[in-house]
Amino acid sequence: MLRDNERHKHFNRRAAILGGGKALLLSILAGRLYYLQVVEADRYRTLADENRINLRLLPPLRGRIVDRLGIPLADNQQNYRVLLIPEDARSLHATMNALDQVIPLSDGERRRILRDVKRNRSFVPVTVRENLSWKSAAQIEVNSPDLPGIMIDVGQSRSYPHGQELAHVMGYVAAVSPAEQTGDPLLELPGFRVGKAGLEKIHDLRLRGKSGSSQVEVNAYGRVIRELERREGEPGAEVNLTIDIALQRTVNHRLKNQSAAAVAIDVHSGEVLAMASSPAFDPNAFNQGLKVADWQALINNPRAPLINKAIAGRYAPGSTFKMIVLLAALERGVVNTSTQFFCNSFINLGDARFHCWSKHGHGFVNANDAISQSCDVYFYEIAKRTGIERIASMAKRFGLGSPLGIDLPGELAGLVPTPKWKRQAYEAAWQKGETVITGIGQGYLLATPLQLSVMTARMVNGGFAVTPRLTRDVSGLKSGDSENEQKFKSLGIPTRHLDIVRAAMGDVVNSPTGTARGSRIEEPEWKMGGKTGTVQVRRISKSEREQGVVKNQDLPWKERDHAIFVGYAPMENPRYAVSVVVEHGGSGSKTAAPIARDILLEAQRRRSSQSTVARVVGSLETIQKKRDN
Amino acid sequence: MREDSLNPPSFTLLQKLIHIRWIFVLLVIAVAFIGVAMLFSAANGNFQPWASRHLARLGVGIGVMLCIALVDIRIWLKFAYLFYGFSLILLILVEVMGFIGMGAQRWLDLGYFNLQPSEIMKITLVLALARYFHGMGMEDIDRPTRLLIPLVMVGIPTVLILRQPDLGTAIMLVMASGGLFFVAGVRLWKFGALAVLGLALMPVSWQFLHSYQKRRIMTFLNPESDPLGAGYHIIQSKIALGSGGVSGRGFMQGTQGHLRFLPEMQTDFIFTMLAEEFGMIGALGLISLYILLLVYGFAIAMRSHSHFGRLVGMGVTVTFFLYVFINIAMVMGLIPVVGVPLPLISYGGTAMMTLLIGFGLLMGVWVHRDVVIGRRGGDRA
C-alpha cells in the first residue's frame, strides 16, 4: 500500500511536469494564433482578398457621332457571339451537331472549338463564332433547349450606317496596336477599339468614355461565384458635327467614279457642311479587321482611296488663284477697275513666252473681263507689276500656305512660294518668270481643296478670316448657332475691292462670256458665283504647241489637266462656299463647275426647306406655349 | 479502510452510471457539436454529406463510450495484452493485404466500415503499456533490461505503421508511449539517450521516408518555395487563419474555405476554417474547451487509486493532447503536415471512435477510481 502511495506521488509529480509541458505547448499555439490573427491579420486579409477578388473592366460605350441634324454617322451595333460552355453541354459533339443545323460549322471550326475546350477549364466559355446576324442569334435562342451549353453573348461594335459616304472625315476604329498601349488596362481588353483616323482619332478620348469595373468573387478554380461590386463606366461623349449628311451624299454622288475632292462650308461660321474625297473606303471593314488582300487593294489603288484629298491633296490652284492676284494688285494700286491690258494670246519675258489659254487672245481686258474670261495675259501683267511678295502675302491672308487647323488629323499646308522659300528649298534665286506663272496660279503654288473653299469664303463673307471646323460640339454643351458663330478677325481688305472680285466671280457664271456660264443657276435667289481653274500637270512644249495641242481627253489619265472650281451662293448675301477638284478631270468649266453648281443648289434647297420646317416647328411651339399659359 | 465505505468493489450498473463524470461527457458532446456546425458550414450550409454522419457517429460513439466506462477496469487489465496482440495481428494483416494488393493500405474492409488497425493500436498500446508498468515496482523501473519489453511493444507497431505509410499515427504512437514511460518513472537521462540515438538515426530514417513525406518536410521548412505546389496547402491555411482576425469573418462567411482555396477543410484543416470564420476568439474558445477536457483527464488520472488506472488515464489524455496539438500546430505551419485530424471535429469515423473509446476508458478509470489492484492484477481490496 505504502509502496503504491509512493508510486502515486511519483506519478503525480511526473504528471504535473507533463501537464506543465503541455501547457507550454498549448501556449505556443495561442501565441502563434495571436501572431497570425492579430499581428499579421491585415496582411493575410489582403492576401485572402487577392485570392478571391478579380477585377474586371467594363468597356464604356463609345460615343456616337451625329451630323448637324442629329442623324447618326457613327453608332454602336449589337454584336452577337455564340459561346460554348463545355460543362453545360452534355456532349460536345451532340451540341455541335445540333448547332450545325442552325449555323453550319466547318471542320476547321470544330477542331478549333475542341482545342479551345481542351485548353480551358470546363466552365470557361469558348467562342464559337463572332459577328452573328440578329437572325442567326434569334434562331439559336429559340432552339436553346436543344443546344445545352450554347450561349449568346451581346457585345457592342462600331458601325457607320452611311458606310463610305463620310469615310475620310469619320476615319475608323480598329484594334489597339502594341505601340498605342499606354498602360491603361482598358486598352488591353481583347476586342477594344480605338480611333485610328479622322474624327474617330481626333476625338478618341472624348468618344471613349470612362471604363467601369466589376469586382467578382472567384473560387480557387477561377469560377465566378458572384459579383461583389459593379461600377458602371461613363459612356463616351456624343460628337455633333457640322456635316449635313444629305448634302454629303449629293457631293459623293457627283464625285462618283472620279479621283476628286470637294468641300462645302458656311462662309460665316466656317462650319464644314460637306467634305468628300473620292474614291472612299468602307470604315466598317476596318472594325472587324481588314483582309490582307483588301488592304493591299486600298494601298495600291492609284487613286489613293485612303487619303482624304480634301485636306491632304495638294493641287496648283490655277485660275482660281487669280482673285488673290487681283486683290494684291488692287491693294498695291497697280490697277483699278478701268485699267486695261491688251491680250494677243501671249506675252514675252526675256527669252520666254507665256501663253494665254485663248489661242486668239482676248483683246482689251479690264479686271472684270480678266476674271470672268480668265485671261492669263492680264494676270501676267499685273503679277509682274505687283511682285511675288505681295501676292504671297495676300495668299497667306486668305488661308493658303499653312494648315487651317481643322479638327482632322493629317491636314497639309500647301505651298505659297516666296523668293526666301526658294532660296531655302532650292538654293536658287527667284526668277521673274516665276512671278508671272504664279500670277495664274501655277508654278510652285499648291493648295488643298479645303484651303480653296476657305479662300472663297473669306472673299465673299466681307473679308473675315473664317476658319473651318467639323465639330459643332461635344455632348452636353449644346449651344445655339448664333453663339457658335465665332467672331473672326477682318483681313483688312477694302470692301470695294472685295465687291469687284465678287462681281467678277458672278460674271464668270452669269455673264454670257463667263467661262462657267454653262453651269449657272436659273433660280434668281439661288444664283451662284465662282471661278474655274484648269491646271496643267505637264509641260506643253513649243513644238507640240506648233503642231496643235493634243486634246485633253486623248491623253493618258495621268497626264490630263486637273479640273478645279471654287464657288459661292447665293449671289446676294453669300452663305455657302464650295471648292471642287477633279484630278485629271479636264477643264474646270466642263467638269468641276457643274459639280459645284449641284452642291450649291442642294445646299440652298436644303436650307430653305429646313427653315420652313423650323418656322413651322417654331410657330407650333409658340401655340403650344400659349396653350400652356 | 475507505474501500469498505467508499469503494465497494462491485457497484451496481446504476451506481456506476451515476458516478460517470457527466460534465466531461457534456463537454465532449459540446465540442463534437462545434464539429457538426463546422461541417455544416464546410458543406455550404448542408447537413449532407458530413454534418449528419458526424452526428450519427457521435451518437454511436457516446454509447460505446458509456458502455466501456461501465466495464470493470480490472477486465481491461486482464485482457490488455490480448487486445494488444489482436491489434498487432490486424496491423500485420493490413501489411500483408497491402503487399498482395500491391499498394499502400491503412485499413481493412469489413463491409460495413473500414477498420484502421493503427487507430486501435493507439488504445491497445496504452492498455498494454499500462499493464506492464502497473506490474513493475519502483525499483524495477531503473533496470534498463526491464524497459526492453515495452520498447519492443512500441517499436513493432510503429515500424508497421510507418510502412503503411502513416507518419502522423506513428509519431503519435511514439510520443504517447513516451508520455507513459515518463509518468511511469523512467529516468530522464534515458529519454535524453533515446533522443540522441534518434537524432543519430535521422539521416538513416530519411532514406526510408516516402518521397511525398520528404517533400512535406521540405515544404514545411520553406513553404513559400513552391507556392502552387506542395506549399500551397500550408500557405492557404495561414492566409485563412490570418484573415479571420480577432472576431472572424462570420459563420459560413469564410472565403478561403468556401471558395475552396483551403484544402481538406472538412478533415485536417477544419481548425483553419473555424479560425477563419470565428477568429481568434473562436479558436481560443475551442482550445479552452480542449484544455478543460485535458484538465479533467489529468485530474482523473491523478485521482485513481490504481497504477493501471492512472497510466491508462494518462495515456488517453496524452493521446488526446497529441491529436489537438499536432493538428493545430500543423495547420498553423508550426510543424509539417502529417495528417492528424482535429479530435471530435474533423470528419472521419475512425478517429472519433478511437477517441470516444479512449474517453470511455478514462470514464472507466474515474468510475473505478477507488478500486485498488494488486501488482499481479489481484484484487487487494
Side-chain angles (χ1 to χ4, degrees), chain A residues 3-4 7-8 11-12 14-15 19 22 25 32-33 36-37 41 44-45 51-52 217-220 225, chain B residues 134 136 139 182 186 236 241-242 245 249 256 259-261 275 280 283 298 302 304 307 310 318 332:
Chain A
R3 222 162 246 284
D4 192 62
R7 205 157 68 161
H8 196 164
F11 174 89
N12 283 355
R14 283 278 170 109
K22 286 175 183 175
L25 287 174
R32 177 71 172 176
L33 217 48
L36 289 174
Q37 298 200 292
Y44 284 119
R45 184 58 169 273
N51 261 347
R52 75 185 175 102
E217 184 172 72
V218 296
N219 71 7
I225 305 297
Chain B
H134 173 83
M136 199 160 67
E139 57 288 341
F182 180 73
V186 175
Q236 294 301 337
L241 277 163
R249 316 273 319 234
Q256 286 285 100
L259 298 175
R260 307 190 175 274
F261 290 101
M280 195 168 77
F298 269 79
M302 287 159 85
S304 174
H307 202 55
R310 286 194 286 263
V318 170
M332 284 178 178

Side-chain angles (χ1 to χ4, degrees), chain B residues 31-37 39 47 49-60 266 270 342-349 352:
Chain B
V31 173
F33 266 88
I34 292 173
V36 171
L39 291 171
F47 279 103
W50 301 311
S52 56
R53 295 173 74 179
H54 191 73
L55 205 59
R57 282 167 185 166
L58 177 71
V60 175
Q266 78 279 15
I270 199 159
L342 188 66
L344 300 172
I345 293 188
S346 286
Y347 180 75
M352 182 185 266

